[in-house]
DNA sequence: AATGAATGAGACTTCATTCAT
DNA sequence: TATGAATGAAGTCTCATTCAT
């Protein structure tokens, strides 16, 4: 954003570079070997640092991966954060369909790293916890959107926004995993059915 | 059920008993330690058999667990198999709500073993594959139900039954995991919101 | 040789057949998997008998293999037993060259089983001992031949027949293994050089 | 020998010591238990290092043993490398007899470790391969010697030096194993007969 | 003569992490 | 800030063989 780094000492700049080298190397190694088979050994070799150096910047393998994972998930979160202030049911439909499409397209784009994320979730408690945290962030954001529609008389006011948001997110997340794991590339059928059922069920 | 076994030789009966002892011991050990920490060693000790004996009946820890998992999942599947031939939208609503409630109640009942299942899915490829297989069985069954409603003029005929069934199942499965993992006991809010959104979105 | 079996009871005939079935199955399994990887399990499955049955006829896996090995080695031993009563050095040369050629040709013919024999020698004490026994039988036979030549004034009388026979056998055995393991097919160079050196060194 | 190591950091020197401790411990353990029964566990206990440490320096038990084996075999190889430039047949005879004697004496000296080598050759593919490599090195060296004698008009020029060298080496190796395994101590009979036959057969 | 259910010893190896330098 | 030598826990699974039937 602003001119960061500019006020840093050379030493600090170097440190930042080392850190970034580890991150880059980590990404490459995780993509190539998956989470479990990736070793710190491979990562530091690729980053040309010593064993200890990796532990200066990251508590452990999981933390390094989580950093990488957050980068990717931020891209997903940008989609969730898209402004959502529809004036009508049909506008809501358009916006939601658009959002779902972007979300699933992103899954296709980030397929490889997401496969590793899926694996890591099952293997590392820390990664799993991080994932849960990310998920709640998504659900919270969706809950806000649902409430907006209810407050503006577009959506059924008796439904529990939090539960609906969760259900909706769950369906999206699961299709996302399916796309990632089964190498699915055509998503339009999913996009439209998902959106229709959701808006049909939620909106007036 | 019937008198099976009756035609088995004593030897075979004994073998069957040994196998069952291992299964029982396995369940106890998995419940107590979780999937990862459970060891074959603990299981055979509890079953009072030799190491090799376990490997006569099960290829490895994963296979033994999968057998156990299938037993539990069959109880879930019974719910999915409940006859579903509604005459009206409201009858459909009743039936679906009933099914969801049974499904989630079962999750509460089987909470402990399901926690282990969740853990095992992330840890064992074999268990994960089995889970995917079970999931597809559920989705296939739901797809049939959706089609029935469409063919009887109850549900929107333009929706893709397979995709809708999948989305619906996904939402249910995810709430099931949430209930299992967060020790949730009050499910009525989930049941009613889930059902309302689903029937509102799918049915005419 | 004579009409064996004819006087055997049916039961004894059956037993003999079972034994033979095990031997045949053993050969097939050893050839396919090598000594170490071959399992009793595979053998009895192929022979269509029970576990225990194999142990009625053979003390253990090694014994079954040794029986097979003896069959093959008898074919080699026939070469060693070829009558050897040369009248002159040149006749001796011819006979020895002929013998070496037959011996090494046999190695080519029996290559596959001999590979397994080599493996088994290193792995099983019993097989190794049997091999040593077979070797001594060969050397004893050769010693007789060397003595014959010495007694008939054809070979240097001061050489120690036993040591010479052993050295000669060793060279032959080693070339045999080389042919077996390196899939060598052209042996004439070996045959002639071996024979020339041997007769040159031993004969007058 | 010279002051190598001098330029190594303390860290590297320490590492070298650790490695040597493992090698020394390995030798002791292999001598005491043979190859098969020796365990990494015993070795690290004797070397007072951790499990992982052994695997830092050697891929596995086989590799550690191969290192040990190479040390011994180098002593044998020194004998094979003895300069061989005879001026006459009788000088050749003397030199060869001397070499054979040294070779077999060495076998007596190194009997215990060579017993383990023999065992290991049958048990470990890696050790077997290493042995084959060592053997070829010997044979190559002998081939050079045979050629020298042929080129200087001492040995029969029509014989194939490579085959003769191989045959000669084989006889020596086999007697070496016999001496090692049967605890033979009187070698003069072998030395003289072997040399006589060889020189008689090869030289003019 | 034939069967087959049961047995159990036990050695390997990996790799994230530490901490003295 | 960077290094890298050292650590060590821990759980799998095989398969020849036995012996009661």
């Amino acid at each position: 954003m602003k001119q960061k780094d500019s006020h840093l000492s050379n030493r600090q700049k170097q440190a930042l570079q080392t850190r970034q080298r580890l991150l880059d190397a980590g990404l490459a190694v995780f993509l190539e070997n998956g989470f479990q088979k990736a070793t710190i050994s491979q990562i530091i070799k690729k980053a040309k640092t010593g064993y200890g150096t990796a532990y200066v910047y990251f508590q452990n393998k999981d933390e390094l991966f989580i950093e990488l994972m957050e980068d990717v998930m931020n891209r997903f979160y940008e989609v969730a954060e898209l402004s959502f202030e529809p004036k009508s049911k049909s506008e809501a439909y358009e916006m939601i369909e658009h959002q779902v499409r972007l979300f699933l397209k992103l899954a296709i784009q980030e397929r490889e790293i997401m496969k590793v994320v899926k694996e890591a979730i099952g293997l590392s408690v820390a990664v799993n916890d991080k994932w849960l945290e990310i998920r709640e962030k998504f659900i919270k954001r969706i809950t806000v959107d649902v409430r907006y529609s209810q407050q503006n008389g577009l959506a059924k006011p008796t439904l529990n926004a939090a539960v609906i948001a969760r259900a909706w997110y769950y369906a999206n997340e699961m299709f996302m995993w399916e796309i990632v794991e089964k190498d699915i590339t055509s998503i339009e059928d999913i996009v439209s059915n998902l959106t229709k059922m959701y808006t049909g069920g939620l909106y007036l």
Side-chain angles (χ1 to χ4, degrees), chain A:
Chain A
M1 297 280 155
K2 304 161 220 149
Q3 337 96 281
K4 45 179 171 178
D5 299 12
S6 61
H7 55 93
L8 296 177
S9 71
N10 277 339
R11 215 175 176 173
Q12 286 172 310
K13 273 190 236 168
Q14 191 120 47
L16 228 51
Q17 271 176 30
T18 304
R19 193 186 143 88
Q20 192 53 46
R21 270 212 323 280
L22 282 162
L23 244 13
D24 293 343
L27 180 60
V29 171
F30 282 123
L31 282 177
E32 190 162 347
N33 303 286
F35 183 75
Q36 175 130 272
K37 286 190 62 189
T39 68
I40 291 283
S41 203
Q42 295 167 311
I43 295 172
I44 61 152
K45 197 176 291 175
K46 183 156 275 179
K48 294 178 198 291
T49 72
Y51 277 86
T53 313
Y55 287 89
V56 171
Y57 296 102
F58 306 96
Q59 278 186 47
N60 51 39
K61 186 171 114 171
D62 299 31
E63 296 304 323
L64 198 162
F65 183 74
I66 284 173
E67 194 113 341
L68 252 17
M69 180 170 94
E70 283 187 295
D71 285 352
V72 186
M73 291 320 294
N74 278 338
R75 247 162 291 160
F76 279 85
Y77 195 62
E78 279 172 24
V79 175
E81 268 183 325
L82 249 39
S83 89
F84 183 81
E85 301 187 352
K87 300 278 186 292
S88 64
K89 181 180 174 181
S90 72
E91 196 185 345
Y93 180 90
E94 294 297 331
M95 293 177 97
I96 291 166
E97 188 184 43
H98 181 62
Q99 241 179 357
V100 174
R101 189 179 291 113
L102 286 180
F103 187 80
L104 298 184
K105 269 191 179 167
L106 208 40
I108 294 174
Q109 271 174 44
E110 305 287 353
R111 172 169 288 148
E112 294 314 313
I113 184 69
M114 290 310 286
K115 280 183 182 174
V116 185
V117 169
K118 187 81 205 279
E119 186 199 354
I121 287 172
L123 253 19
S124 154
V125 173
V127 172
N128 185 56
D129 288 351
K130 186 71 202 175
W131 181 256
L132 260 33
E133 187 192 317
I134 290 169
R135 177 188 283 167
E136 291 307 320
K137 198 169 134 194
F138 273 92
I139 292 172
K140 213 161 269 171
R141 186 59 179 74
I142 298 172
T143 307
V144 169
D145 291 348
V146 173
R147 290 228 172 86
Y148 177 91
S149 291
Q150 289 178 318
Q151 283 158 0
N152 288 275
L154 295 172
K156 299 172 185 166
T158 54
L159 291 174
N160 180 328
V163 174
I164 295 298
R166 190 168 294 274
W168 171 238
Y169 170 78
Y170 281 162
N172 276 274
E173 182 185 321
M174 290 298 274
F175 272 109
M176 184 268 280
W177 291 129
E178 193 179 328
I179 285 164
V180 164
E181 292 192 313
K182 296 195 192 154
D183 292 328
I184 291 171
T185 49
S186 65
I187 57 171
E188 278 311 311
D189 217 29
I190 297 170
V191 169
S192 89
N193 278 279
L194 214 46
T195 311
K196 276 174 193 155
M197 186 172 75
Y198 176 57
T199 52
L202 173 58
Y203 286 79
L204 290 164

